[in-house]
Amino acid sequence: MSKRSKKKERRNKRSTVEATRRRAEKHETGFEITSLELPENTPLFRLKSAKAVRLDIIPYVVGEGNPYADKGELHYERTFFVHRSIGANQSSYVCLRKTANEKCPVCEHRAKLMRDPDADEELIKDLAPKERQLFNVIDTAERDKGVQLWDISFHLFGKALDARIRNADEDDDYENFAELENGLTLKLGIEERSFGGRAFYSVETIDFKLRKEDYDEGVLDDVLCLDDILKVLDYDELKAIFLQTEDADEDEEEKPKSRKGKSSKEKEEEEGEEEEEEEEEEEEFDDDFDKKEEGEEEEEEGEEEEEEEEEEEDSNLDDLTAKSKEEAFEEFDEEITERCEEVDLDPDDYDTWKDAELAVRKASTKKTSKKSSKKKSSKKTGARKGGR
């Protein structure tokens, strides 16, 4: 090799170009993507301001494991679940149980905590799997960027999209929005929210507009197969990260390291998750991991204990300041609203977050009592029939 070639090789090795590009791209996303395996230089879409945006959602050919579409079909999204703030780097990892229908060490640990009366309720809440969605999108204002990947919480966009389609008239044809021919552009009204002094954005309104032109099937060559880019670790690897050990067979009773030190951005995103989802998760864990004998006496004792625990929890609400409705709902907007809707309450009927929280708990207790009464009634009816 000539001196000139060697000199050129050394210069290329010392070049800052590639490292600079990687740093800029990673910093632009605001997080390290530990839940996805993306091709190099994949363009990522995100909401950057409260200004309305117009998106065309482009379908893709479904791969393995999509919960809402069969392999080979065209579909527009991929639903998956993540556990946040896991490991020393407080990163997000795909939930094996909710996403791949496999055993998940994080879910197992959370189930144990839920059976422990002295467990940290905040930790139980933090460990709940969060629902997210992936989309291939084209921003009509920046078509030069081509197809971009949008990774967003279901509760900040997908929930509103589902509701818009579900409540549409038959002749609206909103369900055709992702079709290549005669598809629809989504005009998204964006709401700016704040948490911890920083702003984040969610979709407030969705309007469907006729596209100016159709897409040909060639665009399918530019999209990602959203099922293939999920980074699903095996059980032992995820367990080792979660428990902060290199040995995946470490004692399962070992507690994970402190979960303090989350960034403001992570906290903002977590506040966007609804409380209803976490309550449903708790019910599922009760079914899967906390199998108890059902009897009338045990049900009555359980209800009494639950009421006593709720009374004790109510006393802890005294440390909440009497925030106004506007101030409190800026922080807990989606969480308290969804909890109220679950028990058919209107959050606007309450002056403070504390009042709404108390009302939700009382309504939940009544709901539980009614379910228990129905079970008892059905058992008695069955006994009478059997006697005859």
Side-chain angles (χ1 to χ4, degrees):
M1 182 181 291
S2 66
K3 291 183 178 180
R4 180 177 297 178
S5 298
K6 290 181 179 179
K7 185 176 181 180
K8 183 177 180 181
E9 182 180 1
R10 287 196 300 269
R11 185 168 62 249
N12 289 338
K13 287 182 178 180
R14 291 197 300 267
S15 174
T16 64
V17 173
E18 288 302 319
T20 301
R21 182 182 294 112
R22 285 195 299 270
R23 193 271 179 193
E25 290 169 352
K26 181 177 177 180
H27 192 267
E28 171 68 13
T29 67
F31 59 94
E32 181 181 1
I33 305 178
T34 51
S35 57
L36 304 175
E37 291 183 306
L38 301 179
E40 189 175 357
N41 300 325
T42 297
L44 303 178
F45 175 82
R46 64 187 178 93
L47 301 175
K48 300 177 182 179
S49 71
K51 182 180 178 181
V53 297
R54 288 172 171 78
L55 297 179
D56 288 343
I57 296 181
I58 309 301
Y60 72 101
V61 179
V62 173
E64 298 283 353
N66 193 298
Y68 299 109
D70 295 330
K71 184 176 180 180
E73 290 183 339
L74 284 181
H75 191 50
Y76 69 93
E77 62 85 43
R78 179 48 150 107
T79 295
F80 69 110
F81 293 79
V82 299
H83 292 290
R84 287 205 182 102
S85 303
I86 299 298
N89 293 327
Q90 299 285 275
S91 300
S92 296
Y93 293 90
V94 171
C95 171
L96 303 182
R97 185 180 71 88
K98 295 285 287 183
T99 304
N101 197 28
E102 299 174 0
K103 288 175 56 179
C104 176
V106 184
C107 289
E108 289 178 347
H109 185 78
R110 180 171 181 260
K112 291 181 180 179
L113 292 178
M114 291 176 64
R115 295 196 295 269
D116 182 356
D118 299 323
D120 184 350
E121 292 185 3
E122 281 300 312
L123 178 57
I124 293 174
K125 178 180 176 180
D126 289 345
L127 290 177
K130 311 298 183 185
E131 185 174 3
R132 301 188 67 81
Q133 288 179 293
L134 299 173
F135 301 89
N136 288 297
V137 302
I138 291 179
D139 184 346
T140 62
E142 297 180 317
R143 290 188 177 275
D144 57 308
K145 291 186 176 181
V147 178
Q148 302 180 69
L149 176 67
W150 191 15
D151 173 10
I152 187 170
S153 164
F154 165 74
H155 305 290
L156 299 181
F157 169 59
K159 184 178 180 181
L161 178 60
D162 287 350
R164 197 79 170 86
I165 296 172
R166 187 170 55 247
N167 298 324
D169 293 332
E170 289 186 7
D171 58 355
D172 287 334
D173 294 331
Y174 291 164
E175 67 273 15
N176 297 333
F177 71 91
E179 292 292 304
L180 296 180
E181 295 184 4
N182 301 318
L184 301 170
T185 294
L186 275 59
K187 179 183 177 182
L188 308 182
I190 311 303
E191 178 184 13
E192 180 177 337
R193 300 183 183 181
S194 63
F195 183 82
R198 296 185 62 182
F200 68 104
Y201 304 96
S202 65
V203 176
E204 183 178 23
T205 61
I206 302 175
D207 292 317
F208 296 88
K209 305 290 185 179
L210 292 175
R211 290 178 183 167
K212 294 182 178 180
E213 57 183 30
D214 293 332
Y215 291 95
D216 59 44
E217 291 193 0
V219 73
L220 298 179
D221 297 332
D222 300 329
V223 302
L224 293 173
C225 177
L226 303 179
D227 307 299
D228 293 346
I229 62 175
L230 293 179
K231 189 173 184 179
V232 182
L233 303 181
D234 62 39
Y235 179 94
D236 290 339
E237 188 176 1
L238 181 56
K239 179 181 175 182
I241 295 172
F242 177 55
L243 296 180
Q244 292 304 289
T245 68
E246 294 182 357
D247 182 3
D249 294 324
E250 191 75 10
D251 183 5
E252 292 185 7
E253 293 299 324
E254 180 181 346
K255 301 291 184 181
K257 290 187 178 180
S258 171
R259 304 175 65 79
K260 295 181 180 179
K262 295 178 182 177
S263 69
S264 297
K265 185 167 185 175
E266 287 174 330
K267 290 181 180 179
E268 291 161 7
E269 291 180 349
E270 290 178 6
E271 287 301 320
E273 303 290 346
E274 63 174 350
E275 187 70 20
E276 179 183 356
E277 174 190 2
E278 291 163 0
E279 291 175 352
E280 289 174 353
E281 287 302 314
E282 291 177 4
E283 292 176 1
E284 289 180 12
F285 278 113
D286 287 341
D287 294 337
D288 295 339
F289 301 105
D290 197 15
K291 295 179 179 178
K292 298 178 180 178
E293 295 182 358
E294 293 185 357
E296 292 184 7
E297 294 181 359
E298 288 182 350
E299 287 177 353
E300 291 173 357
E301 291 174 359
E303 289 171 11
E304 292 174 357
E305 291 176 359
E306 184 178 348
E307 290 175 0
E308 291 174 359
E309 290 174 359
E310 288 178 353
E311 290 175 0
E312 292 176 1
E313 291 173 356
D314 289 345
S315 65
N316 295 331
L317 289 174
D318 293 337
D319 61 345
L320 291 173
T321 58
K323 295 181 179 180
S324 68
K325 180 171 61 179
E326 291 79 14
E327 291 172 339
F329 282 10
E330 281 181 359
E331 296 180 3
F332 300 103
D333 178 37
E334 187 167 359
E335 176 180 336
I336 197 63
T337 299
E338 293 303 329
R339 293 187 65 186
C340 285
E341 289 177 355
E342 174 67 14
V343 292
D344 300 324
L345 296 178
D346 186 349
D348 291 333
D349 290 340
Y350 305 96
D351 293 329
T352 66
W353 183 86
K354 176 180 175 180
D355 292 339
E357 176 74 9
L358 288 171
V360 168
R361 289 183 179 181
K362 290 179 180 179
S364 297
T365 301
K366 291 181 180 179
K367 207 169 186 180
T368 302
S369 299
K370 288 182 180 179
K371 289 182 179 179
S372 178
S373 298
K374 288 181 180 179
K375 287 183 180 178
K376 293 176 185 177
S377 177
S378 63
K379 288 180 181 178
K380 291 178 180 178
T381 301
R384 287 197 294 270
K385 289 181 179 179
R388 292 176 184 174

